[in-house]
């Protein structure tokens, strides 16, 4: 069964600090991995997509990494801001005929001033 | 572009009542889907559609019906609401079925069934 596990479940950091969120998956064969940001009371918004051949991709202060061999991804947030407080969701899609992406449960990040 | 819109934002139902959650998109996307999000769980796919007139079941379809008469609209119907359907519902659309395509989500509908 395809699974996506995220850690930690929740995280509290001070404004200006860095943090790293983890995502492990068992989806096979692998197509791509997306990180979404979900603000409270809103729908998820895509931050970045990683395909098999990509190791690192940045989007402003967000940097995603992918190790397709170990089936792990991380999302690093640099110089956190209060607006980074949100849930970060890892979503993995496989190849094949059925398009049902597998969602992780998310990491809830709180940035304190 | 308004993107993906959902109505209502909040709804309270009694057990056994029926209702329709509305979803519309103005991006001319072929692929639309409905998810539910429960505390401590990832989003779960209820139903999806690859184009007008075509729908299919996702992971948790029981208790829900959908139809797709136009490219723009994808309503979700609850025929007889149950407390287990208390959840936040998200509609999403993307430009095609290919797994690389980003899904754009609506703002959600928070449903409570008493």
């Amino acid at each position: 069964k395809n699974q996506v596990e995220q850690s930690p479940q929740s995280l509290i950091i001070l404004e200006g600090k860095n943090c790293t969120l983890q995502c492990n998956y068992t989806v096979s064969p692998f197509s791509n991995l997306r990180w979404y940001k979900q603000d409270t009371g809103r729908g998820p918004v895509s931050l970045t997509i990683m395909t098999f051949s990509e190791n690192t991709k940045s989007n402003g202060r967000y940097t995603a990494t992918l190790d397709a061999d170990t089936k792990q991804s991380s999302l690093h947030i640099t110089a956190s801001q209060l607006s980074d407080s949100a849930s970060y969701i890892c979503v993995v899609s496989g190849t094949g005929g059925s398009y049902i992406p597998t969602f992780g449960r998310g990491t809830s990040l709180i940035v304190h001033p | 572009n308004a993107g993906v819109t959902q109505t209502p934002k909040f709804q309270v139902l009694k057990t056994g009542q029926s209702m329709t959650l509305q979803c519309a998109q103005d991006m001319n996307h072929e692929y639309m889907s409905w998810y539910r999000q429960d505390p401590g769980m990832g989003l779960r796919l209820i139903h999806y559609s690859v184009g007008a007139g075509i729908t299919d079941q996702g992971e948790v379809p029981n208790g829900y019906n959908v139809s797709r008469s136009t490219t723009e609209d994808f309503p979700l119907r609850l025929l007889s609401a149950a407390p287990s359907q208390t959840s936040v519902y998200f509609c999403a659309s993307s430009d095609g079925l290919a797994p690389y395509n980003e899904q754009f989500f609506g703002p959600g509908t928070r449903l409570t069934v008493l």
Side-chain angles (χ1 to χ4, degrees):
Chain A
K1 180 182 178 183
N2 292 333
Q3 288 187 313
V4 175
E5 300 289 340
Q6 293 188 242
S7 62
Q9 186 174 355
S10 61
L11 183 62
I12 300 174
I13 62 174
L14 292 175
E15 187 179 12
K17 298 297 186 181
N18 304 334
C19 67
T20 300
L21 314 180
Q22 301 289 344
C23 174
N24 296 343
Y25 62 92
T26 61
V27 177
S28 182
F30 173 82
S31 172
N32 67 80
L33 182 150
R34 281 189 184 273
W35 284 95
Y36 282 86
K37 179 187 180 188
Q38 184 176 21
D39 292 317
T40 300
R42 309 285 293 270
V45 175
S46 178
L47 290 173
T48 185
I49 178 174
M50 306 287 290
T51 58
F52 187 86
S53 59
E54 296 173 307
N55 298 118
T56 303
K57 183 174 285 187
S58 292
N59 179 2
R61 295 180 295 102
Y62 300 101
T63 300
T65 66
L66 175 66
D67 186 334
D69 292 331
T70 61
K71 295 184 169 58
Q72 295 180 327
S73 176
S74 66
L75 181 69
H76 185 76
I77 303 175
T78 304
S80 61
Q81 300 176 358
L82 298 180
S83 60
D84 292 330
S85 295
S87 179
Y88 292 84
I89 302 171
C90 176
V91 185
V92 182
S93 295
T95 59
S98 177
Y99 178 63
I100 299 182
T102 303
F103 286 75
R105 298 182 180 187
T107 292
S108 176
L109 174 66
I110 298 174
V111 180
H112 279 312
Chain B
N1 284 354
V4 180
T5 58
Q6 293 183 238
T7 57
K9 294 183 80 70
F10 302 93
Q11 183 70 50
V12 179
L13 293 177
K14 294 181 179 179
T15 297
Q17 287 184 316
S18 64
M19 79 159 295
T20 299
L21 279 63
Q22 301 292 343
C23 173
Q25 53 90 11
D26 61 359
M27 297 174 283
N28 202 33
H29 285 170
E30 291 296 321
Y31 181 86
M32 296 185 74
S33 55
W34 275 102
Y35 293 89
R36 61 177 290 172
Q37 186 175 41
D38 300 298
M41 301 188 69
L43 278 83
R44 292 183 290 169
L45 184 64
I46 304 172
H47 285 286
Y48 66 96
S49 169
V50 301
I54 307 171
T55 63
D56 206 347
Q57 296 181 351
E59 305 170 77
V60 289
N62 293 341
Y64 307 96
N65 280 352
V66 292
S67 60
R68 185 94 179 269
S69 57
T70 67
T71 299
E72 295 77 19
D73 301 298
F74 190 42
L76 178 72
R77 280 181 284 276
L78 284 70
L79 298 179
S80 180
S84 60
Q85 294 179 304
T86 294
S87 187
V88 181
Y89 292 85
F90 289 98
C91 178
S93 73
S94 66
D95 186 16
L97 236 192
Y100 302 101
N101 292 346
E102 176 184 356
Q103 291 198 74
F104 294 85
F105 287 83
T109 293
R110 184 175 294 274
L111 175 66
T112 301
V113 182
L114 303 176

